[in-house]
Amino acid sequence: MASTKRVCAKCNKGAGTAMCYGCEQAFCTKHFLEHRQDLSQQMEYIGQEHDVLQRDLTHDQSTHSLLTRINQWEQESITKIQIAAKAARITLQQLLNRPKHNLQTSVSKITEELQSSRELDDYTELDIKRWTDQLQEFRKVLDCPVSINIEYEKDSRSAIRLLKINIFGKVTLSEGGLVATCSGGHADRSCVAGTGRYLTGVHYIHFRIEQTSTHYHSFFGIINATEKMTYDIWNSTSFHGWWDLDYNVISGKSNRRLSPETIRMGDEITLMLDCINRRMQLEHHRTNRTVNMSIDLQLCPFPWKIIILLLGKDDCVKILQ
């Protein structure tokens, strides 16, 4: 049986003396060598592509835009935390130093009295007892740690929780801590305490009622500075002050006369703390009325701190400088 001759797939001349089983074509000797050379070049190209892919897999590529946004958020968050931490440290240090500063003034006065009385040999048992009582009282203040509550912003939208000081319940501070706004309701018993500690001298704190509820009063008064802010703070024996001019609280017990409410939105009031005579006064400027309260140091010992309770949603009070 005669065999069928196959011609070269390149030149169509002569007999195809070599067969490629990849492309299933026959080539003459010359073009078979060229065909193998073409395959060799293709293999080289594939090898280069492989090397490039392998390199890209093992090396970092250009930063994705979302990674850039995350990096930016990280840096901005760190900056916010550093600013908040710095402000909190400054505030905390001021709170820790204030009782010592106040004590230093009182102790300096006793130092002068002691030196003068010794030099003049002018003192009696009554003077010694008074100085002893004062020094014991000052020692209690010095040894008693300052009551400072540290909480966190409860903002579910933020991954960063910033520090705030001396707040219980749902109160928002603004304008550098001068404005307190209730964001909760009566059940939260929200309150905010002043940072000052009072044990000597006479002090006046001026407030304006920015917003008040028609159902609930706001409270202005004092507690002992060591008291922690709690849900039932108004039951404390050191809790003294006013819900209104005819509605006072003495040692956690309410006393109310049946009379129309006096304090309204927009009113300004002044709370006076007289540490010398151990008394407190609330002045209502619109009606030019004042109410007074004596403080029993057995029930509310020094140092004092101011406390404000805001029970109605959006109730707002501002300290006037």
Side-chain angles (χ1 to χ4, degrees), residues 21-45:
Y21 291 96
C23 63
E24 296 184 347
Q25 297 185 94
F27 299 93
C28 65
T29 302
K30 175 184 176 182
H31 290 126
F32 181 77
L33 296 175
E34 291 178 357
H35 180 63
R36 293 303 301 176
Q37 187 175 4
D38 289 339
L39 292 178
S40 179
Q41 290 176 351
Q42 293 178 33
M43 191 64 180
E44 183 67 24
Y45 175 77

Side-chain angles (χ1 to χ4, degrees), residues 20 25 33 45 80 82 90 92 120 137 162 169 216 230 232 244 254 273 282-283 285 304:
C20 177
Q25 297 185 94
L33 296 175
Y45 175 77
K80 289 180 181 179
Q82 290 174 337
I90 292 174
L92 178 60
L120 299 176
E137 186 174 292
L162 303 181
Y216 303 109
T230 62
D232 59 350
D244 203 284
S254 298
L273 307 182
L282 184 68
E283 179 181 3
H285 296 281
W304 300 336

Side-chain angles (χ1 to χ4, degrees), residues 180-316:
T181 304
C182 178
S183 57
H186 181 272
D188 299 301
R189 298 188 184 181
S190 302
C191 56
V192 56
T195 57
R197 299 294 183 268
Y198 305 96
L199 58 110
T200 61
V202 180
H203 310 271
Y204 297 86
I205 304 90
H206 197 41
F207 301 92
R208 182 167 62 229
I209 314 302
E210 299 289 327
Q211 178 70 35
T212 185
S213 170
T214 57
H215 302 289
Y216 303 109
H217 301 269
S218 295
F219 178 86
F220 297 87
I222 61 170
I223 56 175
N224 175 257
T226 62
E227 289 271 4
K228 294 183 178 180
M229 311 283 275
T230 62
Y231 182 78
D232 59 350
I233 186 65
W234 59 24
N235 294 323
S236 169
T237 56
S238 74
F239 190 79
H240 292 70
W242 292 270
W243 293 102
D244 203 284
L245 296 185
D246 296 316
Y247 187 4
N248 66 37
V249 180
I250 299 176
S251 189
K253 298 179 180 180
S254 298
N255 304 281
R256 186 175 187 178
R257 291 191 299 173
L258 294 177
S259 61
E261 297 177 3
T262 305
I263 300 177
R264 307 172 185 169
M265 184 173 67
D267 284 356
E268 294 183 6
I269 59 175
T270 298
L271 187 66
M272 184 269 286
L273 307 182
D274 183 353
C275 299
I276 299 174
N277 297 299
R278 302 173 182 181
R279 70 185 184 95
M280 183 169 54
Q281 180 186 86
L282 184 68
E283 179 181 3
H284 185 254
H285 296 281
R286 179 172 54 82
T287 60
N288 199 30
R289 282 186 60 191
T290 59
V291 287
N292 294 275
M293 182 183 298
S294 297
I295 307 299
D296 185 344
L297 294 185
Q298 296 295 322
L299 300 173
C300 185
F302 291 129
W304 300 336
K305 67 179 176 183
I306 294 172
I307 184 172
I308 301 171
L309 270 71
L310 303 172
L311 302 185
K313 182 172 175 52
D314 298 325
D315 283 3
C316 181

Side-chain angles (χ1 to χ4, degrees), residues 12 14 62 65-66 88 116 119 138 144 149 210 229 246 266 308 319:
N12 292 322
S62 58
S65 59
L66 291 179
S116 175
E119 292 174 358
F138 294 157
C144 182
N149 298 328
E210 299 289 327
M229 311 283 275
D246 296 316
I308 301 171
I319 297 178

